[in-house]
Amino acid sequence: MNSQPAVEKPAEENNGDQASNDAQQQPSVDVAKPQEHEEPDMWEETFKSHTDSRPNGPESIGVDISFHDFQHVYGIPEHADQFALRSTTSGDPYRLYNLDVFEYELNNPMSLYASIPYMLAHNQKFTVGVFWLNAAETWVDISSNFSDKGIFSKVASFITKSNEIPQVDTHWFSESGVIDVYILLGPRPADVFRQYGSLTGNTKLPPMFSIGYHQCRWNYNDETDVKNVNAGFEEHHIPMDVIWLDIEHTDGKRYFTWDALKFPTPDQMMNHLSAYGRKMVTIVDPHIKQDTNYQIYSEAKEKNYFIKDKNGNAADGWCWPGSSSWPDFLNEEVRDWWASKFMLDSYKGTTLDTYTWNDMNEPSVFNGPEITFNKDVVHLNGIEHRCVHNLYGISQVNATYHGHLARSNGERRPFILTRSAFAGSQRYGAI
């Protein structure tokens, strides 16, 4: 602090009027008062109409990592940018924060739907990698003594400056968490990918139908529409393995249900497709419509399975069904409960030829900051969402995957599509 509290003189130095005058001239100082020059928004931040309470105050961690004798680095998906990552010295860093970004910009380091904090550097001799295991909002700055030059000037530069060795410097920083970083030494590309797989898991062999042609739109109207689309592919001899249903097949965007008027006999529809050797994928999003007559919602509410707001109430947000709540998939008990909903006796109308699309799981919250949760909503054991944001999608897909395994007693390989992803999502499905 700039000012100091008054120091009392020894008793023998104080006398009568002088002591009284000193007391009047030296005001008391509250030592607990914040500094006058403290930066704004340190303990609470406002973004448009949203307020982040930041109960733990400002946080961040960071590390500098340099790639010596490399001209380029690659990776840290998902960004709509060029293959070799650009220098960010004259612009924003690459951002890793899963968001529902409609009409995203090209050649931009902005966040998209997935965040994989995994970077590669490659030259003619070696390949190395970095895996930054942190699920909070993360930014990566990149600078290089070889970047941002035309190809001819690059060649000329390194011919005339033969002693100059290329180097890419990166700065990784996350809002919260701990520094948990893995250096993958290769030396070959296959070695780096094997090492990354040993850390995060490898992609399972997909079911054969899933690598075929999928037919999807928003939205097929009813069972007759589905049968007509199937018949059209037959009539024109066009191979097709899977047909998809978007949100309108449900009863008012209540997932695990069917619109009784448009899809009155979904099991018969499924069996009709199966007779042609085809499968179906239905959408199952994480936002749960707030309706006490909706079994999924009433069960989750009764079991206290929803993510909480900062005041301890079930977090409320707006999505396709209207007012919604979101299961806390970081809780293993919640994941087991969600998995059970894919059993055939629970998800009525489905068969073993019905598979799942987990969409909107960044999570997308239409009336939230940046169309997602406030960072101060709370998960199991009081964990703030800011610390685990990029894990939400993978946690939902984890539960969905194990639900599919259980319904066939482990005899059929699941097919799951997810929009949101993090390192390790490849264990459960496709993006």
Side-chain angles (χ1 to χ4, degrees), residues 308-323:
K308 307 296 189 298
D309 63 22
K310 63 184 179 182
N311 298 315
N313 304 310
D316 176 83
W318 193 266
C319 209
W320 294 125
S323 292

Side-chain angles (χ1 to χ4, degrees), residues 289-360:
K289 181 179 177 64
Q290 294 179 9
D291 176 2
T292 54
N293 295 318
Y294 173 30
Q295 184 179 0
I296 301 294
Y297 173 77
S298 59
E299 278 188 28
K301 183 178 180 181
E302 180 183 356
K303 295 175 182 291
N304 201 28
Y305 282 170
F306 289 128
I307 292 172
K308 307 296 189 298
D309 63 22
K310 63 184 179 182
N311 298 315
N313 304 310
D316 176 83
W318 193 266
C319 209
W320 294 125
S323 292
S324 304
S325 298
W326 280 258
D328 184 3
F329 292 113
L330 271 70
N331 184 337
E332 184 178 6
E333 184 178 336
V334 175
R335 293 198 301 272
D336 290 343
W337 167 79
W338 181 265
S340 73
K341 299 307 173 185
F342 291 93
M343 301 299 287
L344 300 184
D345 59 353
S346 181
Y347 193 175
K348 303 291 187 181
T350 62
T351 72
L352 291 178
D353 284 337
T354 312
Y355 296 85
T356 301
W357 168 20
N358 288 150
D359 196 28
M360 312 292 288

